[in-house]
């Protein structure tokens, strides 16, 4: 079997057992990237040289009998909004083209500390704003399962890379569904941890109170491995929670005796036929595995979550992106005769249309005279949504919901921004409430497209929902490992 | 129904230091007004009793000790600037005072 | 009808807190004289992906300030973002406390224009971060007419406490006093140098005029006053300018004006072209700051003695006149020095005299700070005791004092080097000097002996000469006795 098809767990074991070398694994992944990239365009930067060098170092260490960590020798790909001091970090934007950060994100340090090999940076929607990776300033990424379709977004490159076998695991970021939706479109596990579980230090901020870094993987075991590496308190991030790291474990019957909440009434009519059928089947499977199905209500979350999010996220983004002015980093408009000209031209030329839309919206909702009507109102709605979830979790341990109303759509299909926004209906409320949620594959559509489901848990139940998702997603792991794009 | 004129959209652009090209203005205005329309949904809710900023579910801010940590990233930081000049970063002349 | 005017002044003071590190990162705050952009890190240069972490000392200093100003300390506060674009602002927003300040509703007492104590209301004290610095220069180094500016982020992120007063100040003099009192307070608290020239305390004023015919002129903001004197002059100028306009029936433009110290005028500030819509919203990267009663009590307990309390105590304890107390308590360091002199045995009044005149003069001459005093409090106390005990005269002591200033040495050594032997000139040696003086001033001696020196003026003259010759090493009463004996003889 080609080495690039191995899971992270298999790589770690295989290396320890001297079945193969790390340089072989990395070479296999790099070759896979080379062969698939012309069709997929999932990568913005491939660190071939440093990766091979790191691999050689790891081989040497293994030769000396040293153990470098739980991700020893595992190739990992990072979304290009995660700061790497040895590689460019562009956030798929012209305004940061060729920017090399002067520091490493905390998660990057953690991965290196566990012996991982960073293969490169993945494509995404510009500054993580979007649901298809079509907003990348450097061209879209294609879905490995059907290259006429999007891989999802904003972490589309990270998802496509893992689905296509570039690496067994990757990291993305999720602000309104940007891990869970692409995971769903690409047949992967994708997890957004509880807000505060994973350090944001080094994640280029989009919406500070909503962003979280999270992993993609083809197997639950791999997800467990990487989560164990990155879920830890970071004193550099004041929103990082100072609590013991969660104990991720895959047990035998995680659903037995559990109450799983569903929103069949609220979801009814909103899904494609395939997805509707898949969801119903998934609910049945939960029952078979010993869970009790409880109908819960999240009417406000589903009805008002989008409006709330599309006020708060752009508001925070308009402030977070104000620093891109060509002075300290990134591309600058070279002929500016005044500071004002430097600002407006650098930003006017450097930002793509979706980013501009969101900055303008955010600027407006925070502006004098409108703060109360929009921003403050949205914060109140957010609280109401949090309370709604809290009430639901008094009845159930997890909520089962699709990640997206449809499977992967065609490139260019969702051309009206507002329509694209509406598709975030099932993922956004989770970020508003700061909850953990995991996407897993639940089957395939009649045309062979992956169909994904989502499990949402109360805050800090990350380990529990991973366990449950593993039980439900296990059946697909074989087919996923085969992967898309031969 | 809140509607923004094109002039108002330009003003917001100015506030955000974003140059809006004439060809962008139409679609931007349209998008803007569409989304503002969507926001008016929130008026359906009675939020009078909701205080968004209580401390119940966030723990308080963590404090850091007042100890100097040397940072060796000075060169890396300055080198990334498109307009580094020696120890400084150069910007075009600022017009007025603060 | 003659118009009468009342001046209304409110002040905003930005106080740099002298913690070791910046408010949101661990860079050093010691930026004065440092190489530009040498105290920077990814956080304070606003690199993408970086996050703020709050300095606990900054909070403590802020609470100290709030308590000393008799404010209510808010137990739950948050930071907010103030969004605007400027070259010295790396994140394009300043992290500040807008909606809920750390402390509010306090006061600072000054002496009013009528000589009575007046409480000036403090609206709020809040914490925020300082911006970087801009240097405006042309390629050839000239500043005027340059086409570019240079940014130094060393100062970016230095902690500030902003104190906003109520518009309770009634005159430029009161404004100056208020700032002076604030400066003294922060130095006493140990939270800031309070130095306007160095920029660790920056003052902006809002000034308007109320007219007796019911009009109230618009408020004008005045900036760029870099010393107490400049503050007073600027506000005096502005008062006259506004009154003049109002007297002629004109309106006052609501604007910001800069003080031009060289020309002695305020001029309208070239307005920043854009509107000041700061779009404040709560800082999502920082959870709320929660202070409990225990913490506030602990800070209160650790507060040093405040200027007003120290002044009261000095008056009662050392029984000095008010003017002397004001000088001695000008800074906590000087007050401590004085008290050390007294503790080491110096008489309170005489110690006060020595410290207020000789020591302060010496410090000024040598451009030294009291903490770096050339003569220790203990040594000065010894010297004072020598004079008190009649061992040496005041004149001799002053000589010794000067010697100690020149070269750091022991008191004994200094005394020896001055050629002073304690109480040395007496008996024969004294008589020798008297004879010498008499011979040199025979005519004066004649006047005394002939009984014409009614008011002892000539006697005193002779005594002075003898004392001088004996270089203060003779006891004055002994000199008088010996001189009279000599003069009595024929």
């Amino acid at each position: 079997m080609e080495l690039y098809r191995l899971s992270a767990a298999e790589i770690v074991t295989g290396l320890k057992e001297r079945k193969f070398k790390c340089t072989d694994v990395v070479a296999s992944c790099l070759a896979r990237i080379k062969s698939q990239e012309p069709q997929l365009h999932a990568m913005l930067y491939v660190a071939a040289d440093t990766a091979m060098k790191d691999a050689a170092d790891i081989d040497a260490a293994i030769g000396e009998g040293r153990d470098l960590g739980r991700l020893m020798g595992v190739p990992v790909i990072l979304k290009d909004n995660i700061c790497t001091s040895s590689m460019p970090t562009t956030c798929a934007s012209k305004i940061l083209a060729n920017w090399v950060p002067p520091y490493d994100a905390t998660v990057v340090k953690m991965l290196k500390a566990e012996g991982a090999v960073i293969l490169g940076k993945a494509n995404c929607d510009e500054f993580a704003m979007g649901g298809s990776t079509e907003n990348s300033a450097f061209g879209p990424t294609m879905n490995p399962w059907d290259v006429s379709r999007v891989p999802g977004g904003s972490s589309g490159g990270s998802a496509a890379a893992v689905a296509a076998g570039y690496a067994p695991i990757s990291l993305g970021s999720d602000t309104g569904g940007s891990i869970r939706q692409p995971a769903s479109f690409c047949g992967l596990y994708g997890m957004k941890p509880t807000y505060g579980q994973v350090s944001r230090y080094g994640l280029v901020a989009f919406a500070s109170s909503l962003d979280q870094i999270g992993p993609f993987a083809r197997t639950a075991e791999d997800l467990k491995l990487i989560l164990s590496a990155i879920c830890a308190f970071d004193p550099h991030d004041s929103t990082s929670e100072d609590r013991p790291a969660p104990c991720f474990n895959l047990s035998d019957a995680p659903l037995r005796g559990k109450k799983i909440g569903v929103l069949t009434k609220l979801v009814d009519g909103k899904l494609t036929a395939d997805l509707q059928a898949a969801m119903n089947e998934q609910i049945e499977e939960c029952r078979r595995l010993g869970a009790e199905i409880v109908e819960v209500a999240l009417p406000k979350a589903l009805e008002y979550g989008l409006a709330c999010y599309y006020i708060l996220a752009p508001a925070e983004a308009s402030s977070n992106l104000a620093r891109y002015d060509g002075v300290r980093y990134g591309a600058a408009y070279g002929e500016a005769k005044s500071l004002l000209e430097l600002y407006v031209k650098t930003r006017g030329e450097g930002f793509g249309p979706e980013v501009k839309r969101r900055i303008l919206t955010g600027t407006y909702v925070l502006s004098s005279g409108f703060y109360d009507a929009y921003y403050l109102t949205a914060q109140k709605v957010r609280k109401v949504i949090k309370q709604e979830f809290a009430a639901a979790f008094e009845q159930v341990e997890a909520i089962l919901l699709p990640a997206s109303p449809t499977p992967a759509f065609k490139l260019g299909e969702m051309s009206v921004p507002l329509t694209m926004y509406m598709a975030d209906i099932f993922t956004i409320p989770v970020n508003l409430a700061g909850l953990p949620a995991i996407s897993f594959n639940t089957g395939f559509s009649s045309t062979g497209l992956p169909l994904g489901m989502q499990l949402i848990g109360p805050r800090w139940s990350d380990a529990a929902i991973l366990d449950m998702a593993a039980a439900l997603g296990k059946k697909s792991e074989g087919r996923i490992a085969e992967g898309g794009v031969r | 129904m809140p509607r923004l004129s094109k002039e108002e959209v330009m003003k917001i652009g100015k506030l955000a230091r974003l140059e809006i090209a004439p060809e962008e203005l139409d679609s931007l205005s349209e998008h803007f007004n569409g989304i503002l329309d969507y926001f008016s949904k929130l008026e359906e809710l009675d939020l009078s009793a909701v205080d968004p900023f209580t401390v119940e579910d966030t723990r308080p801010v963590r404090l850091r000790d007042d100890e100097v940590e040397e940072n060796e990233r000075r060169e890396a930081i300055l080198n990334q600037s498109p307009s580094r000049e020696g120890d400084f970063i150069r910007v075009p002349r600022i017009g007025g005072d603060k | 009808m003659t118009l009468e005017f009342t001046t209304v002044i409110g002040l905003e003071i930005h106080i740099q807190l002298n913690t070791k590190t910046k408010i949101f990162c661990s860079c050093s705050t010691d930026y004065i004289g440092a190489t530009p952009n040498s105290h920077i890190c990814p956080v304070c240069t606003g690199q993408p992906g970086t996050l703020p972490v709050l300095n606990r000392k900054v909070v403590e200093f802020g609470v100290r300030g709030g308590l000393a100003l008799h404010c209510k300390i808010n137990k739950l506060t948050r930071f907010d973002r103030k969004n605007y674009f400027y070259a010295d602002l790396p994140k394009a927003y300043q992290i500040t406390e807008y909606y809920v300040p750390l402390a509010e509703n306090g006061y600072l007492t000054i002496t009013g224009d009528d000589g009575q104590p007046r409480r000036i209301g403090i609206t709020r004290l809040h914490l925020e971060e300082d911006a970087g610095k801009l240097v405006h220069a042309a390629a050839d180094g000239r500043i005027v007419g340059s086409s570019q500016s240079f940014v130094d982020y060393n100062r970016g992120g230095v902690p500030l406490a902003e104190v906003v007063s109520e518009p309770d100040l009634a005159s430029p003099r009161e404004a100056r006093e208020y700032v002076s009192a604030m400066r003294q307070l922060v130095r006493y608290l140990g939270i800031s140098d309070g130095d306007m020239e160095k920029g660790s305390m920056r003052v902006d004023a809002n000034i308007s005029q109320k007219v007796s015919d019911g009009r109230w002129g618009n408020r004008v903001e005045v900036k760029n006053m870099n010393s107490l004197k400049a503050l007073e002059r600027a506000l005096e100028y502005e008062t006259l300018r506004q009154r003049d306009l109002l007297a002629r029936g004109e309106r006052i433009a609501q604007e910001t004006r800069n003080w031009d110290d060289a020309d002695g005028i305020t001029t309208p500030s070239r307005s920043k072209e854009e509107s000041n819509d700061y779009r404040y919203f709560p800082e999502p990267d920082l959870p709320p700051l929660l202070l409990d009663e225990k913490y506030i009590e602990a800070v209160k307990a650790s507060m040093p003695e405040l200027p007003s309390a120290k002044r009261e105590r000095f008056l009662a304890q050392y029984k000095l006149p008010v003017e002397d107390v004001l000088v001695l308590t000008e800074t906590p360091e000087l007050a401590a020095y004085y008290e050390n002199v007294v503790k080491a045995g110096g008489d309170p009044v005489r110690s006060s005299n020595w410290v207020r005149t000789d020591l302060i003069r010496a410090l000024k001459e040598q451009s030294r700070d009291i903490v770096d005093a050339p003569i220790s409090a203990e040594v000065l106390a010894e010297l004072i005791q020598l004079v008190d005990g009649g061992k040496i005269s005041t004149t001799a002591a002053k000589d010794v004092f000067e010697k100690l200033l020149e070269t750091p040495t022991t008191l004994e050594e200094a005394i020896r080097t001055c050629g002073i032997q304690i109480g040395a000139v007496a008996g024969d040696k004294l008589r020798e000097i008297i004879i010498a003086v008499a011979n040199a001033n025979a005519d004066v001696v004649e006047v005394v002996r002939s009984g014409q020196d009614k008011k002892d003026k000539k006697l005193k003259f002779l005594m002075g000469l003898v004392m001088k010759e004996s270089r203060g090493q003779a006891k004055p009463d002994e000199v008088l006795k010996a001189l009279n004996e000599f003069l009595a003889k024929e």
Side-chain angles (χ1 to χ4, degrees), chain A residues 92 146 170 191 203-204 246 258 272-273 304 334 371 387 391 426:
Chain A
D146 177 343
S170 68
M191 177 152 186
L203 172 67
V204 178
K258 297 285 197 306
T272 59
Y304 303 107
Y371 177 83
Q387 290 167 340
F426 300 134

Side-chain angles (χ1 to χ4, degrees), chain A residues 102 303-304 327 356 383, chain B residues 24 41 44 54 62 73 81:
Chain A
E303 187 65 28
Y304 303 107
V327 173
K356 278 188 185 166
K383 179 136 191 192
Chain B
E24 294 174 298
K41 239 184 173 325
E44 294 164 14
T54 54
R62 217 170 22 245
R73 309 207 190 262
S81 170

